[in-house]
Amino acid sequence: MSTLHVAGLRCEYLQNPLGVTVKAPRFSWKLSSDLFHVLQGAYRIQVSKEDAGFAPSSLVWDSGVVASDQSVHVEYAGEPLEAMTRYYYRVQVWDRSHHSTDWSEVAHWEMGLLTPEDWQAEWITPDPAVLDPKSEAAFLLRKEFALQPGIRRAALFATSLGLYELQLNGAKVGDSLFTPGWTSYRHRLQVQAYDVTDQLKETNAIGATLANGWYKGNLGWQGKSELFGDTRALLLQLQVWYEDGSQEMLVSDASWRAAAGPILMSELYHGESYDARLEHPGWSLPGFDETRWASVASVSHPKDLLVGEQSERIRVTGQLKPVAVLRTPSGETVLDMGQNMVGRMRFTVEAPAGAKVTLQHAEVLDKEGNFYTGNLRSAKQTVTYVCKGGVEETYEPTFSFQGFRYVKLEGFPEPIDPERFVGSVIHTDMEPAGFFECSNELINKLQSNIVWGQRGNFLDVPTDCPQRDERLGWTGDAQVFIRTAAFNYGVAPFFTKWLKDLMADQRPDGGVPFVIPNVLGETSHSSAAWGDAAVICPWTIYLCYGDRRILEEQYDSMKSWVEYIRSQGDNELLWNTGFHFGDWLGLDAKENSYIGATPKDLIATAFYAYSTSLVAKTAVVLGHEQEAEQYGKLHERIVEEFAREFITPNGRLAGHTQTSHVLALMFDLVQGETKARLAATLASYVEEQKVHLTTGFVGTPYLCHVLSSNGYHELAVKLMQQEDYPSWLYTVRQGATTIWEHWDGIKEDGSFWSDNMNSYNHYAYGAIGDWLYRVVCGIELDERLPGYKRIVLQPNPNSGLTYARAALDSLYGVIRSEWSKAGDGSITYSFEVPANTTALIRFSSTGTPTPLVNGRSASAADGVLSVNTFNNQVELEVGSGRYTIIAK
């Protein structure tokens, strides 16, 4: 008997989200069945306000039976949704044979505060006449309150200017860190929602700690602080519903009390200083003596910029124990965590009152084996703890994170017990999505490094590095890596949130700041390949998740960027004005220059063409026919002008670099004989370097893709698997556990690249992961049915490996592509296609007849819809299911 199940319910990508402020939330679910070629024929969604059931009287929406194969991003279309209300939903599905599932398990979401008028709370901060709210020390706020018995549900909404952490009745509220997160604070400030029903009693106390964070703290390499404001403040509202139907509200207001706390300094770059002797034991418990605490004052700050969260929160996602305690040649005591990580150290110490212990964090040791902090620049990455004494004390920082593998210890009693130290790995808690493995262990380590680089730098915004005095949301880094990021993790909520900040910080003329949120000022904006994140990132999210809404929301921003470029200079078809980073860190740069040799105007015009093409495609998706035609024609004219400006009549490119040829080919700026000639020239340039690259940030992400798609896949394979400098595997050979900013961050003799800009956790060059997934294992999508509704599986076993396997947990379910070679020359392919999708499987086979599928002839195999063979190529159209194919 066949089975059909529906599971994996999500609302706006998330499982049971709280504080939703989207007017029409969208639902997604996954189907599973033991049959082949299962497609959804219809669905039904019911939404209720009541937990007990879905009686007709409780329903706010019943979609009825809708004939549709849509199972992702189905938009709510019921009664208007109410603030602070929990809604329950369930889904039933029919396949095309009219078999139905049972009702799914019930999931829920909870609406947040939807308008400024929903807020009764006030912004509060310590009364400056008593306690300086602008000091470097974090301060505490508290409120004691009583409730009636019979609490049914309680929801707490909070945000702050600065970072906050809440405690309720002595326990932390939630498990998230660095709330309210980092947004374009001048335009958008996130509100967190918490279900605190189980933490409340009849007598209660709530406490909040506020620190500088991104709002008030040090940002950037120029030592600037208070870029968004100089006063920290809390906004909090607690709503309680009782079993008898009554409600009660607690808000932040003048009745709260404030005090200085034990955190004397907390900065994202510099670390944290904590004096345990200044603690207030029981300060967030009822009955605490607050008579010596100060009053609070109201702060005037708008509430119309408050928004609900759209991304997952920052959390501790793992823990690492030290792998060694080292004594360096200089006599330093250093913990080796075995992995370059981002997070914080938790430690336990027993020492006299007033004793001070210090932890300093760094990524690498120098060639003598000593602790090295030169590449941190001004970032101190130091945690200082002063003991209260007499007991065993455990501590870890609250409002600071570090990028590190090594930790130098000072002041700790000897001998050092590594069991007293734990590293907490911290990043945005995205859902893991992808997996890649092959027969080359160095490549497997590279894949691990790519994932760790993403984990370290996807901390609420896509940062360039997590250790030095920077850690900013560089647009160029984000756009070159986003496709790889979407294989490793589910990043749609993460980028949805960040792109809203990009749009908020975008200039009135359409220019895009170098970093988002923008902290570099009004003049730091609009470099080619950086500003193009405004177009490339939303289009990539649309492709990978089938998310039409992100195009709707970002469309004006996307157009504005293209129009900004169009308005530069005298020729609207070329971009040859303004500042550009060029092929940043290209190895063909002139001496003492960061910028590669590829002409900047060639790069700028190539990206201008590419972004214009994506805007045209977006207009088609959104049904804007006139603008689709307008931008389509503009793209054609840019391509023609590119050829006139940069390509000779004989088909040679003006820029004699690898990157110039990569861009012309990747962005389809050449066709026919010219395309073939440029591909051959690119291949010769790679071979002239003894099969090494000279590309920088702009060319490297596309280099192997271009070689593979233009008939030089074997060269791409050799290039990717080089082990000497410069190469991806050189860094692995040098002991890297994340991706480096420079190919020679550590040189062959053990010396370092310049301290000025030398991150050992910088994910941009990790974009090669995209090629591993899409080319080596062949997991590709069909743009006409995005989000992997129609999958293309075209693995390439001619990749210098004996096996490779990859998987991606898409919105429809797991997509899997594996291949392995046997000694007799046969290749075994294994594929998995999730329910409610179809796939094109394409592979080479020199044998006859057509290879067997699951032990049967392809034309007779379950799930195979059609078979086509040509030029030793086999193409199978298949439905959902698992397939094993053996070919020559």
Side-chain angles (χ1 to χ4, degrees), residues 583 588 597-599 602-603 606 642 646-648 651-670 673-686 688 694-695 698-700 702-703 705-707 709-710:
D583 191 22
D588 52 9
T598 303
L602 186 152
I603 294 173
F642 180 92
F646 300 109
I647 300 175
T648 70
R652 290 175 60 84
L653 196 60
H656 305 304
T657 67
Q658 291 181 12
T659 290
S660 61
H661 287 70
V662 166
L663 296 183
L665 292 163
M666 186 70 190
F667 296 158
D668 292 323
L669 303 178
V670 289
E673 293 181 5
T674 302
K675 181 177 182 179
R677 179 168 186 176
L678 264 57
T681 302
L682 172 62
S684 70
Y685 285 172
V686 172
E688 287 170 6
T694 59
T695 50
V698 168
T700 302
Y702 306 125
L703 176 55
H705 276 295
V706 167
L707 290 172
S709 63
N710 284 277

Side-chain angles (χ1 to χ4, degrees), residues 44-87:
R44 185 180 185 184
I45 303 173
Q46 289 185 335
V47 178
S48 170
K49 280 187 180 181
E50 295 184 10
D51 187 17
F54 288 81
S57 60
S58 73
L59 295 180
V60 296
W61 184 43
D62 187 336
S63 70
V65 179
V66 179
S68 171
D69 67 348
Q70 184 180 0
S71 59
V72 302
H73 309 311
V74 178
E75 194 169 287
Y76 172 82
E79 299 175 8
L81 299 170
E82 301 173 10
M84 298 184 293
T85 302
R86 177 172 290 188
Y87 294 91

Side-chain angles (χ1 to χ4, degrees), residues 181 281 379 529 532 607 718 792 830:
D532 292 280
F607 273 92
K718 291 178 183 177
V792 180
S830 296

Side-chain angles (χ1 to χ4, degrees), residues 433-439 444 447 487-488 769-780 788 791-796 801 803-810 813-820 828-834:
F435 166 84
F436 175 87
E437 181 185 274
C438 69
S439 57
N444 293 338
Q447 168 65 12
F487 275 112
N488 294 330
D770 175 43
W771 181 81
L772 296 174
Y773 278 104
R774 293 170 65 192
V775 178
V776 175
C777 283
I779 297 179
E780 188 55 277
Y788 298 96
I791 306 156
V792 180
L793 297 169
Q794 48 189 14
N796 200 324
L801 304 167
Y803 79 86
R805 57 178 69 108
L808 173 66
D809 192 0
S810 73
V814 174
I815 302 163
R816 185 171 56 88
S817 176
E818 302 181 7
W819 56 263
S820 62
T828 300
Y829 298 96
S830 296
F831 303 106
E832 184 172 353
V833 178

Side-chain angles (χ1 to χ4, degrees), residues 211-225:
N212 288 344
W214 295 285
Y215 183 82
K216 183 179 179 294
N218 179 209
L219 288 177
W221 55 87
Q222 298 171 326
K224 294 182 179 179
S225 298

Side-chain angles (χ1 to χ4, degrees), residues 36-39 96 790 833 837-841 853 857-868 875-880 883:
F36 287 90
H37 189 36
V38 173
L39 292 172
R96 293 195 176 182
R790 185 174 188 267
V833 178
T837 70
T838 59
L840 171 65
I841 297 175
V853 178
S857 66
S859 58
D862 290 338
V864 177
L865 310 179
S866 67
V867 181
N868 187 23
E875 288 189 349
L876 307 177
E877 287 282 353
V878 303
S880 60
Y883 302 91

Side-chain angles (χ1 to χ4, degrees), residues 81-82 160 184 206 232 242 287 354 372 394 436 471 487 513 532 566 620 669 709 816 818 850:
L81 299 170
E82 301 173 10
S160 63
S184 175
I206 190 166
R232 288 161 287 169
Y242 293 101
Y372 168 75
T394 299
F436 175 87
R471 313 186 191 188
F487 275 112
D532 292 280
R566 193 176 186 178
V620 171
L669 303 178
S709 63
R816 185 171 56 88
E818 302 181 7
T850 304

Side-chain angles (χ1 to χ4, degrees), residues 230-264:
D230 62 2
T231 300
R232 288 161 287 169
L234 175 73
L235 185 70
L236 181 146
Q237 191 159 307
L238 172 64
Q239 186 75 31
V240 179
W241 293 266
Y242 293 101
E243 296 289 356
D244 64 6
S246 62
Q247 300 181 28
E248 191 168 356
M249 183 184 294
L250 171 81
V251 300
S252 52
D253 58 19
S255 65
W256 287 55
R257 306 290 286 174
I263 300 177
L264 303 181

